[in-house]
Amino acid sequence: MVAPSTKYGYFSKDGKEYIITRPDTPRPWINFLTNGKYTALVSATGGGYSFYVDSAFNRITRELPGDQILSDRPGRHLYVRDNDTGEYWAVGWQPVMKSADFWEARVGLGYNKISSIKSGIKSEVTFFVPLDEDLEVWDIHIKNLSDRPRDISVTGYIEWVLGSYAKDLEDRVFDSFFNDVYFKNNVIYATKRRWDRPDRPGTAWDHWAYMTGSVQFDGVSCVKEDFIGEYRYPSNPIAIEKGAYKNGYGESEDAIGALMKKMKLGVGDEKNFHIVIGIEKDVESINRKIKKIAKRDFVEKKLKEIKKFWKDNLDELIVKTPDPDFDLSVNIWNKYQTWITSQMGEMDSYYIGAGNWGFRDECQHLYGVLPIDKKLAREKLIELLEHQFEEGNVAHGWNTLTKEAFTTKHSDDPQWLVMAVLNHVKEIGDLEFLKEKVKYFDRGEATVLTHIIKALEYTLYHVSPNGIPLRMTADWNDALAGGHLGRGESLMVANQVVWNISEIIPLLLRIGEKAKVKRYQHINDRIKKTINDVFWDGSWYIRATADDGSLIGTRKNKEGKIHINGQTWPIMSGVASEQRGKKAMDSLWQYLMTPYGALTFTPAYTKVNAALGIISQFAPGAKENATIFAHPNAWVVMAECLLGRAEKAYDAWKRSSFITMGKDPDLYKTEPYVYSEFVYGPESPHFGQGSYSWMTGSAAWFFRACTDFILGLRPTLDGLIIDPCIPKNWKEFYIKRVFRGASYHVYVKNRGGLSKGVREVRVDGEVLDGQTLTVFKSGRHKVEVEMGLTK
């Protein structure tokens, strides 16, 4: 059983595809097809663009930001023309937008497939990016369903950028003078003689893009004006209308790639071919690859590899609960989104144009990746460690191509690194990892342990007279960035420090660092006392202070009285007592909770205030200004589980789930299979509408909130602990988790209708003393858990 259908689509029976049944979705519903180097953003109608490694300086095809989320153009368009009648349409609907007799798009794990039937012609195209090739494939099938022979032509169309994305947006006509695009031997070769890259001004682009296929093409165009025509659009291009192509040479022109194949189809005949768009260092490298990629078995093999990759990753952790929405989210789409975002560092989407790799974003994405792809998690964690400075601070972001990093003094940045390393060590259970040496970004190298100790110490050095970490530029909430004197305090970072110290102490005890343990315990006790003595506001915790010492997130504020992170993090860190934790969360439910999840804070800021920063400049109920950010709602789930309030934890998950909101797609608008960064708040006329989909840490945090806290199977240094916090009406559930080489199959029974409490645990038939599962190096192990009062 899967989520019910809407007028736009539904999940497949196995949940691994979202099947879209009409093309006019409220926003473009897209997929990210990537192997970590070559990335193609592909919408359900064939919109989107591609880049290699970096979206700012290695843009292959064109995006028009802003317009992209409204018109979903340009893209990878596939035109079909009836050469007998002159009628034409597009397989993906865009850009011609003629209605079809049948249309369907399947958003899958690592691929998109679009099918349509128009005028007796069935057309299908599957887009994917192989796991180990720097290219994208368009696998095309055309079938004659009519009762007469047909003369058909099929044309694939893209618009080149070839290097700098910003230059293409700002000065396209001038930038086109550097284009070197030509057709030869069935291949369109494309490069640019000048690369607008800041660290290499005046050099040529150091790659060649190409477009080719598995058949000999019958028409080609490399110039947009020749293909589209003057005063025309991609919806009515002159080349398609006339069936005539010219100019396979795009030097100094606004360059495109258009390849046309003619085909004669008898009644019932079907033909297939594929188009490939890719990138290499030079023309010779392209030519060496052409023969291989033109073969049919290349396409079939590479698509099978993608499907196997995702089957294997999904199988690392599987849940079966009484709630099919919960299972669908946790088993498939949370994993998929967090893996995709970990490959992107949140640098690009339909909403984010050519950003940089985000340090703290990646630290959090890895939390979700760890259970399903440990190899990737390790690679990315080492890269994060390499972007720490010797003094302990870290880069806020960096460009993956130029390798340029920048710091912003966001006070939370170093603490995410500490958390990422601790999460990794708890997962793999290998303390030797802490001894590995990793270089700093600026100078020297140190062990992994030294890296995180320095990150912790950097924050502890930058504290107020209260001993509370300074907010500096900002903390997790970037927009709460007012004041430039650096005197304001961040209670969220204070709680991060307490969390990390509480997690690192057991590790330090293991390796004999008793002096550090004593010091950090003293610091923890002091911070806890200060937060509770100074920053408790009677019914909730204060969020931060400004440069002048005034409080942010207090009942005395007219706007921004209560903040979500001010309540969840004291519980997650252990700062709050059970009594205060419940009172703080009760206040959160009273003032912040909406049908779509909890607000970041309330009321919204309505007047520009330099002391608060950009957060007061956003329209009320938009972006960070009193909206429902998905990310911190996962912390609501975790906090409620730690308090033992299962019904509230589950309610918070359900409200903020993309599956729940996706059941009202005309309101939510964004994709119903992934999290959006935020939903507009009640002080906006767009209340309930999603925005900034895909690029958010929400998938990782919700994935772990569900598996580690609701289902309660979470890693510690000693092994997996089982501590469920489930709705009372869940009589049983199952979770399989691969952990440190062994496969744990956990069957939980809840005969008494409880939410919390474990009476007995059996591992392979043996009663366990406690709730920490035996650590095995291999094999399949059955774990039976009986919920109830402790014996």
Side-chain angles (χ1 to χ4, degrees), residues 501-704:
I501 287 178
S502 299
E503 292 286 326
I504 203 173
I505 280 176
L507 185 151
L508 293 174
L509 285 172
R510 289 280 187 94
I511 60 177
E513 294 280 0
K514 293 182 180 179
K516 282 189 174 69
V517 169
K518 184 177 180 181
R519 176 172 175 267
Y520 287 144
Q521 189 61 63
H522 173 73
I523 290 170
N524 245 22
D525 291 343
R526 189 182 68 222
I527 294 175
K528 286 181 179 180
K529 187 176 187 304
T530 300
I531 293 175
N532 280 298
D533 290 352
V534 179
F535 297 103
W536 175 250
D537 202 43
S539 295
W540 61 78
Y541 283 98
I542 289 162
R543 174 65 172 83
T545 66
D547 277 345
D548 62 2
S550 59
L551 303 178
I552 299 172
T554 169
R555 63 184 184 279
K556 296 177 183 178
N557 297 146
K558 291 183 178 180
E559 298 174 335
K561 287 178 179 289
I562 176 172
H563 290 240
I564 187 172
N565 293 349
Q567 318 322 312
T568 55
W569 273 88
I571 298 160
M572 292 162 59
S573 66
V575 163
S577 65
E578 182 179 356
Q579 181 182 7
R580 278 196 175 177
K582 288 179 176 178
K583 193 168 187 178
M585 292 303 290
D586 286 345
S587 295
L588 182 152
W589 281 87
Q590 181 180 351
Y591 296 107
L592 297 178
M593 192 55 71
T594 78
Y596 317 112
L599 298 165
T600 49
F601 60 84
T602 198
Y605 296 113
T606 58
K607 297 179 181 178
V608 175
N609 184 338
L612 295 169
I614 194 174
I615 201 165
S616 67
Q617 296 174 304
F618 290 124
K623 205 61 171 79
E624 279 93 344
N625 190 4
T627 60
I628 302 106
F629 254 66
H631 195 150
N633 271 275
W635 299 332
V636 174
V637 175
M638 293 166 65
E640 290 292 11
C641 284
L642 290 169
L643 291 172
R645 306 200 307 183
E647 304 299 336
K648 286 185 175 295
Y650 179 71
D651 186 5
W653 172 79
K654 196 80 171 177
R655 289 174 191 243
S656 49
S657 168
F658 55 82
I659 295 177
T660 302
M661 288 185 278
K663 293 173 184 177
D664 189 357
D666 285 318
L667 174 63
Y668 186 51
K669 292 185 181 288
T670 51
E671 295 91 335
Y673 42 86
V674 292
Y675 285 102
S676 291
E677 181 187 63
F678 73 93
V679 170
Y680 284 87
E683 292 169 88
S684 166
H686 309 297
F687 182 37
Q689 177 181 316
S691 189
Y692 275 59
S693 61
W694 282 95
M695 292 296 106
T696 167
S698 307
W701 279 103
F702 271 110
F703 178 43
R704 299 302 293 266

Side-chain angles (χ1 to χ4, degrees), residues 648-765:
K648 286 185 175 295
Y650 179 71
D651 186 5
W653 172 79
K654 196 80 171 177
R655 289 174 191 243
S656 49
S657 168
F658 55 82
I659 295 177
T660 302
M661 288 185 278
K663 293 173 184 177
D664 189 357
D666 285 318
L667 174 63
Y668 186 51
K669 292 185 181 288
T670 51
E671 295 91 335
Y673 42 86
V674 292
Y675 285 102
S676 291
E677 181 187 63
F678 73 93
V679 170
Y680 284 87
E683 292 169 88
S684 166
H686 309 297
F687 182 37
Q689 177 181 316
S691 189
Y692 275 59
S693 61
W694 282 95
M695 292 296 106
T696 167
S698 307
W701 279 103
F702 271 110
F703 178 43
R704 299 302 293 266
C706 290
T707 59
D708 293 30
F709 290 85
I710 292 179
L711 302 185
L713 189 66
R714 55 182 177 267
T716 70
L717 286 176
D718 295 322
L720 289 170
I721 189 171
I722 180 70
D723 184 25
C725 186
I726 59 173
K728 291 179 179 179
N729 62 355
W730 283 18
K731 298 303 180 185
E732 61 182 4
F733 72 85
Y734 163 82
I735 178 169
K736 169 201 169 184
R737 198 184 197 285
V738 176
F739 181 72
R740 299 183 190 174
S743 180
Y744 294 80
H745 296 256
V746 182
Y747 300 83
V748 178
K749 297 290 185 181
N750 182 26
R751 295 182 177 91
L754 302 175
S755 289
K756 190 83 170 169
V758 171
R759 190 180 70 84
E760 183 179 88
V761 180
R762 290 178 180 265
V763 178
D764 295 334

Side-chain angles (χ1 to χ4, degrees), residues 134-149:
D134 299 328
L135 55 87
E136 63 185 86
V137 175
W138 306 9
D139 185 20
I140 302 161
H141 293 251
I142 307 293
K143 185 174 184 178
N144 180 10
L145 301 179
S146 68
D147 58 1
R148 59 186 173 87

Side-chain angles (χ1 to χ4, degrees), residues 37-104:
K37 292 169 62 181
Y38 191 103
T39 299
L41 282 73
V42 184
S43 78
T45 62
Y49 52 93
S50 302
F51 60 88
Y52 177 69
V53 178
D54 173 65
S55 63
F57 302 113
N58 268 343
R59 189 66 68 106
I60 299 170
T61 60
R62 181 166 290 142
E63 171 200 11
L64 298 177
D67 285 354
Q68 202 80 32
I69 62 171
L70 296 177
S71 64
D72 198 20
R73 299 180 191 172
R76 40 188 65 73
H77 301 314
L78 195 62
Y79 297 90
V80 179
R81 185 178 190 272
D82 185 327
N83 295 323
D84 292 324
T85 66
E87 182 187 17
Y88 62 89
W89 60 92
V91 176
W93 187 65
Q94 283 279 22
V96 181
M97 298 191 298
K98 289 182 180 177
S99 61
D101 301 313
F102 169 83
W103 183 95
E104 176 186 273

Side-chain angles (χ1 to χ4, degrees), residues 276-294:
V276 175
I277 299 163
I279 187 170
E280 293 290 338
K281 291 296 289 185
D282 48 48
V283 170
E284 291 73 21
S285 298
I286 296 171
N287 292 338
R288 285 193 295 268
K289 182 165 284 191
I290 294 300
K291 187 175 181 180
K292 177 181 77 170
I293 63 178

